[in-house]
Amino acid sequence: MRKFIVFLFLSNLFFTSCQLFDKKVPNEKELLDKQLKEINWKEVDELPSVSDCEKISDENVRKQCFFDFLTATIEQKLAIDTLRTLYPQLDTIEVKVTVFPDSKISFEPQFPQDSVAYDTIRIDSILRARLIDFPKISPAIKRGIPVKTQFILPVIIKQE
């Protein structure tokens, strides 16, 4: 009788474990497609940052710290009178900032399409010359991978 109970137990265990192998394995491509659809590609997990802001744990305060640092640094580097002298009517420039995954940064002034009041090539040249040796910026992170981000900052040239 004991052998019969052990036999029933082992056969039940064997048939149950075989059912585990009968389960259909999901298709790798279907899983990947499902994951890609769930990812919000318009947002990053972590915004770019600078060393002074990285110790801040609150995400909104950290974001504000980064943008304040960036704006203040650009304004400080552009404080030399070149732009003020050449274009006294210019008080604010919108600058598109691109932070690449390798921590490189590019700056591109944004002008209205019908802007003929300024020499846009000259302003762009001055901007690029002044924003050399910019402090190191850590790139944005998406799912553990550094990614490129872009944003536009209003930079005040002339303060009254």
Side-chain angles (χ1 to χ4, degrees), residues 103-118:
S103 296
K104 290 188 176 156
I105 310 161
S106 76
F107 302 96
E108 181 182 335
Q110 302 294 293
F111 299 103
Q113 293 289 15
D114 60 348
S115 177
V116 291
Y118 314 113

Side-chain angles (χ1 to χ4, degrees), residues 17-65:
S17 64
C18 287
Q19 289 176 355
L20 291 175
F21 297 116
D22 287 344
K23 298 215 187 256
K24 185 178 178 185
V25 177
N27 183 344
E28 189 176 312
K29 184 173 179 348
E30 289 173 4
L31 284 174
L32 178 63
D33 289 342
K34 182 180 176 188
Q35 280 286 324
L36 290 174
K37 287 178 184 174
E38 291 175 2
I39 297 173
N40 181 351
W41 294 104
K42 303 238 184 253
E43 293 180 13
V44 293
D45 299 334
E46 288 181 41
L47 287 170
S49 187
V50 290
S51 60
D52 291 347
C53 302
E54 287 181 358
K55 51 190 163 245
I56 300 171
S57 59
D58 183 90
E59 187 176 329
N60 290 328
V61 176
R62 186 176 179 174
K63 176 181 176 180
Q64 191 60 48
C65 173

Side-chain angles (χ1 to χ4, degrees), residues 20-158:
L20 291 175
F21 297 116
D22 287 344
K23 298 215 187 256
K24 185 178 178 185
V25 177
N27 183 344
E28 189 176 312
K29 184 173 179 348
E30 289 173 4
L31 284 174
L32 178 63
D33 289 342
K34 182 180 176 188
Q35 280 286 324
L36 290 174
K37 287 178 184 174
E38 291 175 2
I39 297 173
N40 181 351
W41 294 104
K42 303 238 184 253
E43 293 180 13
V44 293
D45 299 334
E46 288 181 41
L47 287 170
S49 187
V50 290
S51 60
D52 291 347
C53 302
E54 287 181 358
K55 51 190 163 245
I56 300 171
S57 59
D58 183 90
E59 187 176 329
N60 290 328
V61 176
R62 186 176 179 174
K63 176 181 176 180
Q64 191 60 48
C65 173
F66 172 69
F67 285 118
D68 288 347
F69 172 85
L70 206 57
T71 304
T73 304
I74 292 171
E75 288 174 357
Q76 175 189 359
K77 289 182 171 283
L78 294 178
I80 300 171
D81 288 337
T82 310
L83 284 176
R84 289 185 201 170
T85 306
L86 292 173
Y87 305 101
Q89 71 280 18
L90 185 64
D91 62 347
T92 303
I93 295 179
E94 288 190 341
V95 178
K96 182 196 296 184
V97 180
T98 305
V99 181
F100 295 95
D102 62 357
S103 296
K104 290 188 176 156
I105 310 161
S106 76
F107 302 96
E108 181 182 335
Q110 302 294 293
F111 299 103
Q113 293 289 15
D114 60 348
S115 177
V116 291
Y118 314 113
D119 181 353
T120 56
I121 295 172
R122 189 169 190 187
I123 292 174
D124 182 51
S125 174
I126 292 169
L127 188 74
R128 290 178 194 275
R130 297 281 184 254
L131 297 179
I132 279 183
D133 69 351
F134 208 80
K136 182 174 176 9
I137 293 181
S138 303
I141 304 292
K142 181 70 173 181
R143 298 184 70 97
I145 299 171
V147 293
K148 176 176 119 176
T149 49
Q150 290 182 320
F151 39 87
I152 296 178
L153 289 176
V155 176
I156 299 170
I157 303 297
K158 179 173 51 175

